[in-house]
Amino acid sequence: IKDTHKNNEVHKELLYNFLKSAANMINTNGEIHVTLKKGEPYDSWCLPVQVRRTGVLRLRSSYDFYPHLFPGYRHRRTLGSQFRSEDEGGPSANADILKNGARTYVITLKPPLDKASRPKK
């Protein structure tokens, strides 16, 4: 999608729908981890907002993502087939991630409200 605004809206909905679906797959102690590159357009996808939109999830924490901590990890671009691989003299598979960084978000189910903290009717 060449229209940046439309592209961002499509990705926001993708994240939101993924999170809604994933919320049904985890138990009360489960976690959903989503890693996004830092910078645009990824920041415009507003992941914390998509988490809140679900109504059942919360953002527990986030941390910087370091590819070297995951042996065998190779970043892949959507248009990756148009670029030369490292073997063909292209950039390192993780160069794109290392340039601006990435962040991993840890998402959990909201804790249930106890009777004392429920709003009065």
Side-chain angles (χ1 to χ4, degrees):
I1 303 171
K2 293 188 181 200
D3 178 333
T4 302
H5 176 73
K6 174 117 173 109
N7 189 24
N8 286 338
E9 293 305 310
V10 166
H11 282 89
K12 285 178 188 179
E13 284 305 303
L14 175 70
L15 280 172
Y16 170 68
N17 287 318
F18 165 75
L19 292 167
K20 272 194 338 184
S21 178
N24 292 315
M25 309 294 262
I26 62 172
N27 62 31
T28 55
N29 297 320
E31 296 179 338
I32 302 163
H33 292 228
V34 176
T35 301
L36 294 175
K37 287 172 51 176
K38 291 180 184 176
E40 292 302 328
Y42 315 99
D43 293 345
S44 292
W45 298 353
C46 308
L47 180 67
V49 172
Q50 307 322 316
V51 171
R52 283 192 300 276
R53 277 181 66 198
T54 68
V56 296
L57 296 173
R58 70 181 178 111
L59 182 60
R60 193 186 81 197
S61 62
S62 67
Y63 55 89
D64 286 336
F65 175 76
Y66 297 102
H68 69 275
L69 296 177
F70 299 88
Y73 174 83
R74 299 286 180 266
H75 174 66
R76 296 290 183 256
R77 295 178 52 97
T78 305
L79 301 173
S81 62
Q82 295 179 339
F83 297 93
R84 290 181 301 163
S85 71
E86 231 176 311
D87 296 339
E88 299 168 316
S92 160
N94 294 328
D96 209 25
I97 289 281
L98 296 172
K99 180 179 175 188
N100 293 324
R103 193 135 189 98
T104 297
Y105 298 87
V106 180
I107 302 154
T108 61
L109 291 170
K110 283 183 173 180
L113 290 174
D114 63 353
K115 286 184 180 184
S117 61
R118 288 188 184 151
K120 304 245 191 262
K121 290 184 179 182

